[in-house]
Amino acid sequence: MELELRHLRILLAIAEAGSLSRAAAALMLSQPAMTTQLRRIEASLGQALFERSARGVVPTRAGELVILHARDAVASADRIRGRRLRSAAGPEPVTVGGSSGPFLGHLAIHLPAVLSNPVSFVQCATTGEAMSRTADRSIAAGCMIELDGFGMTPPDGVVVDVIGLEPVVVVLPVGHPLARQERVDLAGLVGETWLLPPHDPGCDDYGALVEACGAAGFAPCVSSLRIGQVGILCDLISQGAGLTLLQGSARSREGVVMRRLVGDPLLGRHLLALHRESPLIGARPLLLSLVRDAFDSRCAKPD
């Protein structure tokens, strides 16, 4: 079997997801189909590329080398495609939206350089809003974050790619007794007050916190105060009003520290969503390449 770009994308998806099932979901394949494809790729190369374990899959030494070259090959192909899109795309204006995360800013810098379409960018208040606007095509593509296992089912017609998983961090005031620890045990936060953002139909922050704290042996005390602005949240935390959870790629702010939790019990899933009839659906490989660049440069990966 001769390796094609689609095979290389499968290897990259598996390496980034750390799981055949998550990679299959990201590429909209069944897990048996993903397993069959991986076996064919490994057979064509004559060696195993991933080691299987109860926690998922990790590249072998040979696999790491193949993935390195695959990433370069796919990135080169996407750049070539981007140049073709720039010359062939029509003048239809497009809008790209996003909720929290590093992707929207990265696209705002790099996407206009490879599209001839006039492109604008809009900030969405929540993951649910970004997904809804992608579904009704008021935005051509949406970048968003959900908590792993606590997101929403994509609406009909929307294609969702999982860009990667990132550990969720706890935000503490600098004077907190645990602020100097490299990692914080969630069980050590019994009795703390938690500040959460407003209800988001695309991401159940409350349910995720309750489940994680329950696994740690306690029920969290959640404030009735819901704040959506990260700056205001961090200002309240710096004054001792409580704690909150953020993505590890969030910008650090004065008066607070961000610490990973022991065992990373909560993970954020960075997503790119497009409607199948979006004017950017043909540019999906290019968009994926750009947001994966942002993820690799800004986001920590689970251990």
Side-chain angles (χ1 to χ4, degrees):
M1 180 186 75
E2 184 175 344
L3 288 183
E4 302 175 5
L5 273 175
R6 62 188 180 89
H7 298 129
L8 301 184
R9 293 188 191 280
I10 286 172
L11 294 179
L12 294 181
I14 295 171
E16 290 167 3
S19 159
L20 291 180
S21 59
R22 287 196 291 266
L27 296 179
M28 303 184 71
L29 296 173
S30 67
Q31 185 166 346
M34 174 67 74
T35 301
T36 299
Q37 288 287 345
L38 177 57
R39 286 173 178 167
R40 293 184 65 193
I41 294 168
E42 290 179 325
S44 72
L45 296 175
Q47 54 193 326
L49 301 181
F50 293 92
E51 293 179 353
R52 283 73 162 175
S53 72
R55 297 184 61 185
V57 296
V58 294
T60 62
R61 297 183 69 176
E64 290 176 352
L65 181 61
V66 171
I67 289 164
L68 178 65
H69 290 299
R71 187 171 287 115
D72 289 341
V74 169
S76 296
D78 287 342
R79 282 192 290 270
I80 292 170
R81 181 184 180 89
R83 291 192 181 97
R84 185 169 69 249
L85 284 169
R86 188 175 182 181
S87 62
E92 179 183 357
V94 294
T95 300
V96 176
S99 53
S100 58
F103 295 164
L104 194 62
H106 191 80
L107 289 176
I109 293 171
H110 297 284
L111 189 58
V114 295
L115 287 179
S116 61
N117 307 64
V119 56
S120 59
F121 299 86
V122 62
Q123 180 78 35
C124 299
T126 65
T127 292
E129 179 190 343
M131 190 70 80
S132 176
R133 295 192 63 178
T134 301
D136 67 20
R137 286 179 280 165
S138 60
I139 59 175
C143 309
M144 59 206 77
I145 303 176
E146 66 181 20
L147 290 171
D148 193 27
F150 293 87
M152 66 184 294
T153 301
D156 290 344
V158 174
V159 179
V160 175
D161 289 286
V162 179
I163 307 305
L165 296 174
E166 180 188 20
V168 169
V169 297
V170 60
V171 183
L172 309 158
V174 292
H176 194 281
L178 301 180
R180 294 191 177 185
Q181 294 188 8
E182 184 176 350
R183 292 214 184 198
V184 173
D185 191 339
L186 187 58
L189 300 177
V190 175
E192 298 282 359
T193 298
W194 293 89
L195 303 175
L196 296 179
H199 172 68
D200 180 354
C203 181
D204 184 6
D205 299 82
Y206 177 80
L209 177 64
V210 169
E211 181 173 293
C213 291
F218 69 98
C221 175
V222 179
S223 171
S224 60
L225 184 65
R226 294 294 187 100
I227 302 293
Q229 293 291 330
V230 174
I232 297 175
L233 264 177
C234 290
D235 185 52
L236 289 170
I237 291 168
S238 71
Q239 298 177 63
L243 313 178
T244 197
L245 300 169
L246 290 177
Q247 296 302 313
S249 56
R251 179 171 60 86
S252 61
R253 296 174 185 266
E254 185 177 358
V256 300
V257 297
M258 299 189 301
R259 296 289 182 260
R260 283 177 68 170
L261 295 165
V262 174
D264 292 324
L266 293 167
L267 297 174
R269 284 163 39 108
H270 289 264
L271 310 174
L272 176 70
L274 294 92
H275 194 279
R276 294 185 186 279
E277 298 181 10
S278 165
L280 289 181
I281 194 67
R284 182 179 168 205
L286 173 64
L287 290 168
L288 287 171
S289 177
L290 290 174
V291 295
R292 282 169 178 154
D293 285 345
F295 181 84
D296 289 341
S297 63
R298 290 280 304 277
C299 302
K301 297 181 178 64
D303 293 341

